């Protein structure tokens, strides 16, 4: 009887231990840490687009996202005066609550910005034209962060900044405006034969026509960011950046769009026509051990509501942070003839 009781107790202990083992809750995987830098952008919609990108990255369940706003803020330019919202509406509607910022009505010429980039897996720039050059130490710190394996995402007008910063130009592959010219590097595009051309012709650096829908063509279908995406897809109304220049080192053009001679001619500058070539819109760059995803898309909030913009931002940020992409292609991704938008709230 004692042996039976002892055996029963032993069995109860085993069952109890088994039950306790089942109750152990596995810890969720550590999320990637992303930082969006904003505050000085020539597009006055930037306070909203920062929040949009923060939401898009968090929607993947892969990222936690912080925002760092420059110490002095330039709202930018209201390019289209017929838009109904007031000039200050976006900064008023989408403020950061942790700090008070000085707001300037003109571009800030100097910067005391400093930051420990090493706390983050990927940095997203929502800066723009006229952003003041970072102090030398901050630039060196960022170069070191990238060379040692950091991640960087450049969105639309962020490629306008810092034409005088040689290493930044290497990071982004191609840039626009920002004092760049033929000395900054060639135009780079695909010709009709599907060949990459590096064109050293003298001329402007950076151009676009009015916003319109345009089709993107995938050029690197096996790259992790692009794998599984259709060969052609239609993007919502946006500026089609062209005539970008840069060193284009260790760079891969992921997708292009055709810059039509007439359709992409800027009506405000009759001396410039569209290039008439297939120009880069999405680029991946390796900088040392670091990775850069460069997207020219995203001029206004509706441009960022395109499912194509959202998907490539999410996948590009993951690749920049890790070198791989684990996300599936969404069912609503645009087709060659039809774009898809997701209203952001």
């Amino acid at each position: 009887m004692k042996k039976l009781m002892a055996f029963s107790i032993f069995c109860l202990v085993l069952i109890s231990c088994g039950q306790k083992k089942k109750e152990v809750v596995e810890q969720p995987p550590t999320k990637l840490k992303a930082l969006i830098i904003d505050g000085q952008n020539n597009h006055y919609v930037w306070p909203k687009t920062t929040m949009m990108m923060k939401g898009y990255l968090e929607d993947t369940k892969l990222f936690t996202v912080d925002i760092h706003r420059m110490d002095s803020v330039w709202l930018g330019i209201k390019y289209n005066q017929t838009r109904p919202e007031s000039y200050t509406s976006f900064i008023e509607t989408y403020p950061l609550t942790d700090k008070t910022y000085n707001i300037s009505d003109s571009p800030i010429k100097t910067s005391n910005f400093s930051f420990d980039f090493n706390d983050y897996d990927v940095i997203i720039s929502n800066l723009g034209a006229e952003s003041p050059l970072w102090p030398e130490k901050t630039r060196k710190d960022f170069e070191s962060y990238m060379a040692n394996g950091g991640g960087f995402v450049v969105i639309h007008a962020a490629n306008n900044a810092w034409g005088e910063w040689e290493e930044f130009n290497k990071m982004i592959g191609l840039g626009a405006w920002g004092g760049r010219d033929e000395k900054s590097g060639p135009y780079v595009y695909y010709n009709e034969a599907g060949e990459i051309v590096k064109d050293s012709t003298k001329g402007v650096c950076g151009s676009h026509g009015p916003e319109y829908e345009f089709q993107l063509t995938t050029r690197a279908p096996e790259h992790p960011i692009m794998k599984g995406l259709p060969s052609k897809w239609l993007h919502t109304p946006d500026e089609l950046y062209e005539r970008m220049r840069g060193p284009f080192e260790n760079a891969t053009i992921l997708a292009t769009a055709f810059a039509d001679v007439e359709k992409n001619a800027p009506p405000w500058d009759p001396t410039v026509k569209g290039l008439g070539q297939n120009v880069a819109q999405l680029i991946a760059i390796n900088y040392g051990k670091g990775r850069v995803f460069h997207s020219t898309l995203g001029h206004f909030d509706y441009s960022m509501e395109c499912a194509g913009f959202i998907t490539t931002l999410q996948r590009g940020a993951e690749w920049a942070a890790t070198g791989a992409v684990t996300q599936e292609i969404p069912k609503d991704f645009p087709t060659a003839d039809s774009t898809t938008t997701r209203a952001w709230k």
Side-chain angles (χ1 to χ4, degrees), residues 44-58:
Y44 76 122
V45 70
W46 62 261
K48 180 179 181 180
T49 57
T50 284
M51 296 301 178
M52 292 173 74
M53 290 191 287
K54 173 179 167 68
Y56 294 152
L57 294 178
E58 290 174 340

Side-chain angles (χ1 to χ4, degrees), residues 61 71 76 124 141 145 215 219 225 230 261 286 291 309:
K61 309 302 181 186
D71 50 355
I124 299 97
D141 288 346
Y145 162 79
Q215 190 182 72
R219 297 292 180 173
I225 296 173
V261 173
N286 292 101
R291 293 166 298 275
F309 172 85

Side-chain angles (χ1 to χ4, degrees), residues 91-317:
I91 194 70
E92 292 167 351
T93 306
Y94 304 99
L96 292 186
T97 57
D98 62 339
K99 189 176 179 181
T100 301
Y101 297 88
N102 297 318
I103 298 177
S104 172
D105 59 1
S106 59
I108 314 299
K109 298 299 184 183
T110 59
S111 172
N112 294 319
F113 174 66
S114 63
F115 202 85
D116 186 356
F117 302 102
N118 295 307
D119 291 338
Y120 292 90
D121 298 294
V122 61
I123 310 295
I124 299 97
S125 176
N126 197 22
L127 301 174
E130 304 290 348
S131 295
L133 187 64
W134 290 346
E136 182 178 5
K137 182 181 184 305
T138 307
R139 299 199 305 272
K140 294 298 182 185
D141 288 346
F142 190 65
E143 291 167 13
S144 177
Y145 162 79
M146 288 303 301
N148 290 319
F152 189 30
V153 174
V154 178
I155 298 297
H156 195 60
N159 77 16
N160 297 185
W162 309 325
E164 68 271 49
W165 183 1
E166 181 178 357
E167 295 305 311
F168 177 74
N169 289 329
K170 291 180 182 179
M171 291 179 201
I172 66 174
L174 298 170
W177 296 279
R180 297 175 176 87
D181 57 22
E182 58 272 11
K183 296 177 183 178
S184 305
Y187 300 135
V188 181
Y189 51 80
Y190 273 84
N191 63 17
E192 291 183 358
E195 303 165 327
I196 293 180
V197 176
K198 295 183 178 181
D199 183 349
S200 299
T201 302
K202 293 183 179 181
V204 300
C205 178
S207 180
H208 61 76
E211 298 165 272
Y212 60 97
E213 290 185 352
F214 53 84
Q215 190 182 72
L216 278 87
T217 298
T218 296
R219 297 292 180 173
E222 295 304 312
H223 192 281
I225 296 173
M226 306 302 290
K227 195 171 181 63
L229 268 63
S231 59
K232 295 183 181 296
W233 52 279
L234 192 65
H235 179 47
T236 53
D238 206 339
E239 292 177 342
L240 197 168
Y241 271 14
E242 59 160 287
R243 284 189 168 88
M244 297 185 294
R245 294 183 179 275
F248 198 70
E249 299 173 355
N250 305 309
T252 300
I253 296 177
L254 303 177
T256 60
F258 184 71
D260 184 78
V261 173
E262 298 300 329
K263 197 171 184 178
N264 211 50
W268 50 86
D269 187 351
T271 65
V272 177
K273 296 292 185 181
L275 193 60
Q277 301 290 351
N278 298 287
V279 296
Q281 300 298 294
L282 305 177
I283 312 172
I285 306 101
N286 292 101
Y287 180 87
K289 296 179 181 178
R291 293 166 298 275
V292 183
F293 172 63
H294 177 174
S295 173
T296 66
L297 310 179
H299 171 65
F300 216 70
D301 51 2
Y302 46 74
S303 308
M304 288 194 179
E305 290 182 328
C306 175
F309 172 85
I310 296 168
T311 301
T312 53
L313 169 69
Q314 292 168 331
R315 294 169 68 87

